[in-house]
Amino acid sequence: MPGNLSYRQQKNLLIVLFLLVPLALLAMFSLYPAFYLIYLSFMTWDGFSPEKTWAGLANYKEVFHNREIWAAFSHNFVYLGWGLFQNALGLLFALLLNSRMKGRNAYRVVLFMPYIMNGVAVAYMFNYVFNSEYGSLNTLLHGVGLDSWAISWFGSPKFVNHVLGFITLWKFMGLNMVIYLAALQSVPSEIVEAARIDGASRAQAILHVILPNITKVIELNLFLTIIGTLEIFDLPFLLTDGGPLGASETFLTMTMSTAFKFNNFGMASAMSITLIAAVIVVLGIQRFVTRRWGE
């Protein structure tokens, strides 16, 4: 009976009762889907039939032997390159706007504004900008006499992923900037001033004093960037649908097509598990590099 319990026992019981609901929700919406995904990756299933056929490692073998899948995965590294540039640009703007620049608050708002815009709205806006027939970019290029530069941006296998990568940079750079800006403002001004008094230039103070103090934040931003670029889906799906001829297909868009266009949920599940493993490996490499740099 609760009346016979000690204060410590009642406290522990109350903690357990408060934890039951979030743990139940975690198990229902996170753990169960994760284990079910692993289970489906060993099955052959069309998504409709009540019966699932055991496939063993066949789905994984198909993933690792299918060149089209890994060609699509290679496109993700284009986004990763733009993501790293996005981080560097965000850090640069954070350093600039952390100074006493006139109008810095207005610049901060302008640079952060794209992040709060709806992703679908951003996609359609840039569809107008890069459209080969009536797009504003090609109209501008024709207007200044650079007709040879006016190409089909979404129709060129050579440029399409870089165009999409640029759009991700435009949208998410402001988020990186704000995170870096918050980190820079947490660095004690005394140590920066001490470095300047000792004769360090502004560049030396940034390189040897400020950046080592925000290593964890740099690691966090790289973590978010890597996950976002390796799992990108919305822009290629909305703007190109993987075209032209699969040139902008990403690992996740191909996974979704495998599941919902070709009704091969077992194969799609194996691709999802493979993507998770790839993200873990890349993040492990990133953590090793950033920790070695921070030492």
Side-chain angles (χ1 to χ4, degrees):
M1 296 291 294
N4 298 326
L5 298 176
S6 66
Y7 172 76
R8 184 180 181 85
Q9 290 174 325
Q10 292 180 17
K11 181 180 177 181
N12 291 336
L13 178 62
L14 189 63
I15 292 173
V16 171
L17 291 176
F18 273 115
L19 287 175
L20 281 178
V21 173
L23 286 175
L25 293 174
L26 176 67
M28 183 181 300
F29 295 106
S30 294
L31 298 180
Y32 171 72
F35 285 113
Y36 192 65
L37 181 69
I38 296 173
Y39 165 74
L40 284 181
S41 69
F42 295 102
M43 297 291 173
T44 299
W45 185 45
D46 61 4
F48 301 99
S49 173
E51 297 182 358
K52 304 176 183 68
T53 306
W54 176 258
L57 295 175
N59 290 326
Y60 288 97
K61 290 179 180 178
E62 176 62 22
V63 170
F64 284 99
H65 287 88
N66 192 317
R67 293 185 177 181
E68 292 183 0
I69 292 175
W70 292 104
F73 188 61
S74 68
H75 300 155
N76 288 82
F77 287 94
V78 176
Y79 295 95
L80 181 58
W82 279 96
L84 296 177
F85 179 55
Q86 165 192 309
N87 267 270
L89 206 57
L91 181 57
L92 176 62
F93 278 114
L95 289 168
L96 290 173
L97 297 179
N98 193 44
S99 63
R100 298 179 180 179
M101 178 187 296
K102 187 177 180 180
R104 61 185 181 276
N105 291 331
Y107 290 125
R108 292 172 184 176
V109 172
V110 169
L111 290 172
F112 185 70
M113 190 68 70
Y115 175 70
I116 64 176
M117 294 180 64
N118 181 271
V120 177
V122 170
Y124 280 102
M125 180 178 71
F126 277 99
N127 183 49
Y128 171 76
V129 172
F130 290 106
N131 189 279
S132 59
E133 297 180 5
Y134 53 81
S136 56
L137 177 58
N138 279 357
T139 301
L140 175 64
L141 293 173
H142 285 302
V144 296
L146 298 175
D147 296 337
S148 61
W149 289 33
I151 63 173
S152 176
W153 298 100
F154 291 135
S156 170
K158 183 179 179 180
F159 291 105
V160 61
N161 288 311
H162 291 286
V163 171
L164 295 173
F166 169 78
I167 298 173
T168 62
L169 180 147
W170 181 86
K171 178 170 173 56
F172 294 103
M173 191 274 292
L175 174 64
N176 294 132
M177 180 202 68
V178 168
I179 295 174
Y180 284 132
L181 194 57
L184 290 173
Q185 292 177 351
S186 68
V187 177
S189 58
E190 293 81 5
I191 61 173
V192 180
E193 292 174 1
R196 298 300 298 272
I197 291 172
D198 288 340
S201 64
R202 178 170 175 77
Q204 289 173 329
I206 291 173
L207 187 61
H208 299 291
V209 178
I210 296 176
L211 293 185
N213 277 279
I214 63 170
T215 304
K216 294 296 181 183
V217 178
I218 294 174
E219 187 175 343
L220 170 65
N221 261 341
L222 289 175
F223 174 82
L224 296 174
T225 299
I226 290 171
I227 290 179
T229 54
L230 294 184
E231 297 181 353
I232 190 165
F233 170 77
D234 52 351
L235 287 176
F237 177 76
L238 291 169
L239 288 172
T240 63
D241 196 22
L245 301 175
S248 63
E249 197 86 64
T250 65
F251 197 94
L252 196 53
T253 59
M254 182 166 282
T255 301
M256 298 296 288
S257 296
T258 302
F260 297 104
K261 285 186 178 180
F262 303 108
N263 296 327
N264 192 343
F265 281 79
M267 179 71 171
S269 300
M271 292 173 68
S272 299
I273 297 298
T274 304
L275 179 60
I276 293 171
V279 169
I280 292 172
V281 170
V282 175
L283 287 176
I285 296 172
Q286 174 252 315
R287 285 178 63 85
F288 174 78
V289 172
T290 52
R291 288 191 174 187
R292 287 291 297 271
W293 175 73
E295 291 177 355

PDB file of all heavy atoms in Angstrom, residues 19-40 273 276:
ATOM      1  N   LEU A  19       7.773   8.134 -15.843  1.00  0.00           N
ATOM      2  CA  LEU A  19       8.553   7.673 -16.985  1.00  0.00           C
ATOM      3  C   LEU A  19       7.802   6.685 -17.860  1.00  0.00           C
ATOM      4  O   LEU A  19       8.183   6.457 -19.010  1.00  0.00           O
ATOM      5  CB  LEU A  19       9.857   7.026 -16.501  1.00  0.00           C
ATOM      6  CG  LEU A  19      10.934   7.973 -15.976  1.00  0.00           C
ATOM      7  CD1 LEU A  19      12.104   7.177 -15.417  1.00  0.00           C
ATOM      8  CD2 LEU A  19      11.425   8.893 -17.090  1.00  0.00           C
ATOM      9  N   LEU A  20       6.737   6.082 -17.350  1.00  0.00           N
ATOM     10  CA  LEU A  20       6.037   5.047 -18.100  1.00  0.00           C
ATOM     11  C   LEU A  20       5.484   5.569 -19.434  1.00  0.00           C
ATOM     12  O   LEU A  20       5.631   4.928 -20.474  1.00  0.00           O
ATOM     13  CB  LEU A  20       4.893   4.464 -17.249  1.00  0.00           C
ATOM     14  CG  LEU A  20       5.311   3.438 -16.191  1.00  0.00           C
ATOM     15  CD1 LEU A  20       4.098   2.986 -15.395  1.00  0.00           C
ATOM     16  CD2 LEU A  20       6.002   2.247 -16.839  1.00  0.00           C
ATOM     17  N   VAL A  21       4.845   6.727 -19.397  1.00  0.00           N
ATOM     18  CA  VAL A  21       4.232   7.265 -20.612  1.00  0.00           C
ATOM     19  C   VAL A  21       5.278   7.591 -21.679  1.00  0.00           C
ATOM     20  O   VAL A  21       5.162   7.133 -22.821  1.00  0.00           O
ATOM     21  CB  VAL A  21       3.357   8.492 -20.292  1.00  0.00           C
ATOM     22  CG1 VAL A  21       2.861   9.145 -21.580  1.00  0.00           C
ATOM     23  CG2 VAL A  21       2.183   8.080 -19.421  1.00  0.00           C
ATOM     24  N   PRO A  22       6.335   8.390 -21.358  1.00  0.00           N
ATOM     25  CA  PRO A  22       7.334   8.658 -22.410  1.00  0.00           C
ATOM     26  C   PRO A  22       8.043   7.406 -22.895  1.00  0.00           C
ATOM     27  O   PRO A  22       8.363   7.293 -24.083  1.00  0.00           O
ATOM     28  CB  PRO A  22       8.317   9.640 -21.742  1.00  0.00           C
ATOM     29  CG  PRO A  22       8.057   9.561 -20.291  1.00  0.00           C
ATOM     30  CD  PRO A  22       6.634   9.175 -20.139  1.00  0.00           C
ATOM     31  N   LEU A  23       8.288   6.428 -21.991  1.00  0.00           N
ATOM     32  CA  LEU A  23       8.928   5.186 -22.426  1.00  0.00           C
ATOM     33  C   LEU A  23       8.012   4.386 -23.336  1.00  0.00           C
ATOM     34  O   LEU A  23       8.461   3.774 -24.312  1.00  0.00           O
ATOM     35  CB  LEU A  23       9.323   4.355 -21.201  1.00  0.00           C
ATOM     36  CG  LEU A  23      10.529   4.852 -20.396  1.00  0.00           C
ATOM     37  CD1 LEU A  23      10.732   4.006 -19.148  1.00  0.00           C
ATOM     38  CD2 LEU A  23      11.789   4.833 -21.257  1.00  0.00           C
ATOM     39  N   ALA A  24       6.706   4.399 -23.020  1.00  0.00           N
ATOM     40  CA  ALA A  24       5.747   3.693 -23.873  1.00  0.00           C
ATOM     41  C   ALA A  24       5.674   4.345 -25.259  1.00  0.00           C
ATOM     42  O   ALA A  24       5.637   3.659 -26.284  1.00  0.00           O
ATOM     43  CB  ALA A  24       4.370   3.689 -23.220  1.00  0.00           C
ATOM     44  N   LEU A  25       5.682   5.676 -25.283  1.00  0.00           N
ATOM     45  CA  LEU A  25       5.670   6.383 -26.569  1.00  0.00           C
ATOM     46  C   LEU A  25       6.951   6.132 -27.355  1.00  0.00           C
ATOM     47  O   LEU A  25       6.926   5.977 -28.576  1.00  0.00           O
ATOM     48  CB  LEU A  25       5.473   7.883 -26.334  1.00  0.00           C
ATOM     49  CG  LEU A  25       4.110   8.300 -25.765  1.00  0.00           C
ATOM     50  CD1 LEU A  25       4.108   9.788 -25.443  1.00  0.00           C
ATOM     51  CD2 LEU A  25       2.999   7.970 -26.755  1.00  0.00           C
ATOM     52  N   LEU A  26       8.089   6.108 -26.636  1.00  0.00           N
ATOM     53  CA  LEU A  26       9.368   5.818 -27.294  1.00  0.00           C
ATOM     54  C   LEU A  26       9.355   4.431 -27.907  1.00  0.00           C
ATOM     55  O   LEU A  26       9.797   4.233 -29.046  1.00  0.00           O
ATOM     56  CB  LEU A  26      10.504   5.945 -26.277  1.00  0.00           C
ATOM     57  CG  LEU A  26      11.908   5.578 -26.783  1.00  0.00           C
ATOM     58  CD1 LEU A  26      12.372   6.584 -27.833  1.00  0.00           C
ATOM     59  CD2 LEU A  26      12.899   5.538 -25.617  1.00  0.00           C
ATOM     60  N   ALA A  27       8.844   3.456 -27.150  1.00  0.00           N
ATOM     61  CA  ALA A  27       8.799   2.088 -27.669  1.00  0.00           C
ATOM     62  C   ALA A  27       7.848   1.974 -28.858  1.00  0.00           C
ATOM     63  O   ALA A  27       8.144   1.288 -29.841  1.00  0.00           O
ATOM     64  CB  ALA A  27       8.354   1.135 -26.556  1.00  0.00           C
ATOM     65  N   MET A  28       6.733   2.711 -28.807  1.00  0.00           N
ATOM     66  CA  MET A  28       5.719   2.600 -29.855  1.00  0.00           C
ATOM     67  C   MET A  28       6.155   3.279 -31.151  1.00  0.00           C
ATOM     68  O   MET A  28       5.951   2.737 -32.241  1.00  0.00           O
ATOM     69  CB  MET A  28       4.399   3.206 -29.361  1.00  0.00           C
ATOM     70  CG  MET A  28       3.245   3.082 -30.351  1.00  0.00           C
ATOM     71  SD  MET A  28       1.730   3.858 -29.716  1.00  0.00           S
ATOM     72  CE  MET A  28       1.458   2.902 -28.220  1.00  0.00           C
ATOM     73  N   PHE A  29       6.747   4.457 -31.037  1.00  0.00           N
ATOM     74  CA  PHE A  29       7.022   5.256 -32.225  1.00  0.00           C
ATOM     75  C   PHE A  29       8.487   5.256 -32.660  1.00  0.00           C
ATOM     76  O   PHE A  29       8.805   5.781 -33.725  1.00  0.00           O
ATOM     77  CB  PHE A  29       6.569   6.699 -32.001  1.00  0.00           C
ATOM     78  CG  PHE A  29       5.087   6.845 -31.841  1.00  0.00           C
ATOM     79  CD1 PHE A  29       4.541   7.101 -30.597  1.00  0.00           C
ATOM     80  CD2 PHE A  29       4.240   6.692 -32.922  1.00  0.00           C
ATOM     81  CE1 PHE A  29       3.166   7.218 -30.434  1.00  0.00           C
ATOM     82  CE2 PHE A  29       2.870   6.811 -32.777  1.00  0.00           C
ATOM     83  CZ  PHE A  29       2.322   7.071 -31.529  1.00  0.00           C
ATOM     84  N   SER A  30       9.380   4.669 -31.862  1.00  0.00           N
ATOM     85  CA  SER A  30      10.791   4.632 -32.248  1.00  0.00           C
ATOM     86  C   SER A  30      11.351   3.219 -32.273  1.00  0.00           C
ATOM     87  O   SER A  30      11.840   2.754 -33.299  1.00  0.00           O
ATOM     88  CB  SER A  30      11.625   5.499 -31.290  1.00  0.00           C
ATOM     89  OG  SER A  30      11.277   6.855 -31.429  1.00  0.00           O
ATOM     90  N   LEU A  31      11.277   2.528 -31.143  1.00  0.00           N
ATOM     91  CA  LEU A  31      11.903   1.208 -31.052  1.00  0.00           C
ATOM     92  C   LEU A  31      11.183   0.169 -31.917  1.00  0.00           C
ATOM     93  O   LEU A  31      11.819  -0.576 -32.660  1.00  0.00           O
ATOM     94  CB  LEU A  31      11.944   0.755 -29.594  1.00  0.00           C
ATOM     95  CG  LEU A  31      12.766   1.643 -28.649  1.00  0.00           C
ATOM     96  CD1 LEU A  31      12.720   1.095 -27.222  1.00  0.00           C
ATOM     97  CD2 LEU A  31      14.210   1.727 -29.124  1.00  0.00           C
ATOM     98  N   TYR A  32       9.857   0.138 -31.821  1.00  0.00           N
ATOM     99  CA  TYR A  32       9.116  -0.854 -32.613  1.00  0.00           C
ATOM    100  C   TYR A  32       9.311  -0.650 -34.120  1.00  0.00           C
ATOM    101  O   TYR A  32       9.615  -1.604 -34.842  1.00  0.00           O
ATOM    102  CB  TYR A  32       7.637  -0.825 -32.250  1.00  0.00           C
ATOM    103  CG  TYR A  32       6.779  -1.663 -33.171  1.00  0.00           C
ATOM    104  CD1 TYR A  32       6.823  -3.065 -33.110  1.00  0.00           C
ATOM    105  CD2 TYR A  32       5.949  -1.072 -34.129  1.00  0.00           C
ATOM    106  CE1 TYR A  32       6.049  -3.842 -33.971  1.00  0.00           C
ATOM    107  CE2 TYR A  32       5.179  -1.833 -34.981  1.00  0.00           C
ATOM    108  CZ  TYR A  32       5.232  -3.214 -34.898  1.00  0.00           C
ATOM    109  OH  TYR A  32       4.483  -3.980 -35.751  1.00  0.00           O
ATOM    110  N   PRO A  33       9.172   0.593 -34.652  1.00  0.00           N
ATOM    111  CA  PRO A  33       9.432   0.776 -36.085  1.00  0.00           C
ATOM    112  C   PRO A  33      10.859   0.415 -36.493  1.00  0.00           C
ATOM    113  O   PRO A  33      11.075  -0.110 -37.589  1.00  0.00           O
ATOM    114  CB  PRO A  33       9.159   2.275 -36.305  1.00  0.00           C
ATOM    115  CG  PRO A  33       8.246   2.661 -35.214  1.00  0.00           C
ATOM    116  CD  PRO A  33       8.655   1.830 -34.038  1.00  0.00           C
ATOM    117  N   ALA A  34      11.828   0.689 -35.595  1.00  0.00           N
ATOM    118  CA  ALA A  34      13.221   0.373 -35.928  1.00  0.00           C
ATOM    119  C   ALA A  34      13.422  -1.139 -36.054  1.00  0.00           C
ATOM    120  O   ALA A  34      14.027  -1.618 -37.027  1.00  0.00           O
ATOM    121  CB  ALA A  34      14.148   0.948 -34.867  1.00  0.00           C
ATOM    122  N   PHE A  35      12.911  -1.881 -35.079  1.00  0.00           N
ATOM    123  CA  PHE A  35      13.065  -3.342 -35.131  1.00  0.00           C
ATOM    124  C   PHE A  35      12.239  -3.943 -36.268  1.00  0.00           C
ATOM    125  O   PHE A  35      12.651  -4.926 -36.896  1.00  0.00           O
ATOM    126  CB  PHE A  35      12.666  -3.965 -33.792  1.00  0.00           C
ATOM    127  CG  PHE A  35      13.686  -3.773 -32.710  1.00  0.00           C
ATOM    128  CD1 PHE A  35      13.414  -2.979 -31.616  1.00  0.00           C
ATOM    129  CD2 PHE A  35      14.944  -4.370 -32.807  1.00  0.00           C
ATOM    130  CE1 PHE A  35      14.371  -2.790 -30.620  1.00  0.00           C
ATOM    131  CE2 PHE A  35      15.892  -4.199 -31.814  1.00  0.00           C
ATOM    132  CZ  PHE A  35      15.610  -3.400 -30.717  1.00  0.00           C
ATOM    133  N   TYR A  36      11.081  -3.345 -36.552  1.00  0.00           N
ATOM    134  CA  TYR A  36      10.258  -3.845 -37.657  1.00  0.00           C
ATOM    135  C   TYR A  36      10.941  -3.583 -38.991  1.00  0.00           C
ATOM    136  O   TYR A  36      10.838  -4.391 -39.925  1.00  0.00           O
ATOM    137  CB  TYR A  36       8.885  -3.183 -37.612  1.00  0.00           C
ATOM    138  CG  TYR A  36       7.875  -3.828 -38.534  1.00  0.00           C
ATOM    139  CD1 TYR A  36       7.460  -5.147 -38.312  1.00  0.00           C
ATOM    140  CD2 TYR A  36       7.331  -3.135 -39.605  1.00  0.00           C
ATOM    141  CE1 TYR A  36       6.533  -5.750 -39.147  1.00  0.00           C
ATOM    142  CE2 TYR A  36       6.402  -3.729 -40.435  1.00  0.00           C
ATOM    143  CZ  TYR A  36       6.005  -5.042 -40.211  1.00  0.00           C
ATOM    144  OH  TYR A  36       5.085  -5.637 -41.035  1.00  0.00           O
ATOM    145  N   LEU A  37      11.646  -2.454 -39.098  1.00  0.00           N
ATOM    146  CA  LEU A  37      12.402  -2.153 -40.314  1.00  0.00           C
ATOM    147  C   LEU A  37      13.501  -3.193 -40.529  1.00  0.00           C
ATOM    148  O   LEU A  37      13.705  -3.661 -41.663  1.00  0.00           O
ATOM    149  CB  LEU A  37      13.008  -0.753 -40.204  1.00  0.00           C
ATOM    150  CG  LEU A  37      13.816  -0.261 -41.413  1.00  0.00           C
ATOM    151  CD1 LEU A  37      12.895  -0.021 -42.605  1.00  0.00           C
ATOM    152  CD2 LEU A  37      14.570   1.014 -41.071  1.00  0.00           C
ATOM    153  N   ILE A  38      14.216  -3.533 -39.459  1.00  0.00           N
ATOM    154  CA  ILE A  38      15.245  -4.578 -39.563  1.00  0.00           C
ATOM    155  C   ILE A  38      14.618  -5.906 -39.992  1.00  0.00           C
ATOM    156  O   ILE A  38      15.159  -6.621 -40.850  1.00  0.00           O
ATOM    157  CB  ILE A  38      15.988  -4.725 -38.223  1.00  0.00           C
ATOM    158  CG1 ILE A  38      16.734  -3.434 -37.899  1.00  0.00           C
ATOM    159  CG2 ILE A  38      16.953  -5.912 -38.269  1.00  0.00           C
ATOM    160  CD1 ILE A  38      17.354  -3.422 -36.501  1.00  0.00           C
ATOM    161  N   TYR A  39      13.469  -6.224 -39.411  1.00  0.00           N
ATOM    162  CA  TYR A  39      12.768  -7.464 -39.759  1.00  0.00           C
ATOM    163  C   TYR A  39      12.378  -7.475 -41.238  1.00  0.00           C
ATOM    164  O   TYR A  39      12.602  -8.463 -41.951  1.00  0.00           O
ATOM    165  CB  TYR A  39      11.535  -7.597 -38.867  1.00  0.00           C
ATOM    166  CG  TYR A  39      10.520  -8.613 -39.332  1.00  0.00           C
ATOM    167  CD1 TYR A  39      10.760  -9.982 -39.204  1.00  0.00           C
ATOM    168  CD2 TYR A  39       9.312  -8.204 -39.901  1.00  0.00           C
ATOM    169  CE1 TYR A  39       9.823 -10.913 -39.639  1.00  0.00           C
ATOM    170  CE2 TYR A  39       8.367  -9.119 -40.327  1.00  0.00           C
ATOM    171  CZ  TYR A  39       8.633 -10.478 -40.204  1.00  0.00           C
ATOM    172  OH  TYR A  39       7.714 -11.386 -40.630  1.00  0.00           O
ATOM    173  N   LEU A  40      11.824  -6.366 -41.730  1.00  0.00           N
ATOM    174  CA  LEU A  40      11.399  -6.301 -43.127  1.00  0.00           C
ATOM    175  C   LEU A  40      12.578  -6.391 -44.094  1.00  0.00           C
ATOM    176  O   LEU A  40      12.414  -6.858 -45.223  1.00  0.00           O
ATOM    177  CB  LEU A  40      10.645  -4.992 -43.390  1.00  0.00           C
ATOM    178  CG  LEU A  40       9.211  -4.883 -42.893  1.00  0.00           C
ATOM    179  CD1 LEU A  40       8.625  -3.531 -43.261  1.00  0.00           C
ATOM    180  CD2 LEU A  40       8.356  -6.011 -43.459  1.00  0.00           C
ATOM    181  N   ILE A 273      18.466   0.492 -43.853  1.00  0.00           N
ATOM    182  CA  ILE A 273      19.445   0.037 -42.854  1.00  0.00           C
ATOM    183  C   ILE A 273      20.861   0.322 -43.340  1.00  0.00           C
ATOM    184  O   ILE A 273      21.734   0.752 -42.568  1.00  0.00           O
ATOM    185  CB  ILE A 273      19.259  -1.468 -42.577  1.00  0.00           C
ATOM    186  CG1 ILE A 273      17.871  -1.741 -41.976  1.00  0.00           C
ATOM    187  CG2 ILE A 273      20.342  -1.968 -41.634  1.00  0.00           C
ATOM    188  CD1 ILE A 273      17.621  -1.069 -40.650  1.00  0.00           C
ATOM    189  N   ILE A 276      21.582   3.999 -42.813  1.00  0.00           N
ATOM    190  CA  ILE A 276      21.866   4.271 -41.402  1.00  0.00           C
ATOM    191  C   ILE A 276      23.297   3.879 -41.068  1.00  0.00           C
ATOM    192  O   ILE A 276      24.025   4.620 -40.387  1.00  0.00           O
ATOM    193  CB  ILE A 276      20.861   3.520 -40.501  1.00  0.00           C
ATOM    194  CG1 ILE A 276      19.454   4.093 -40.672  1.00  0.00           C
ATOM    195  CG2 ILE A 276      21.286   3.604 -39.030  1.00  0.00           C
ATOM    196  CD1 ILE A 276      18.373   3.286 -39.990  1.00  0.00           C
TER     197      ILE A 276
END
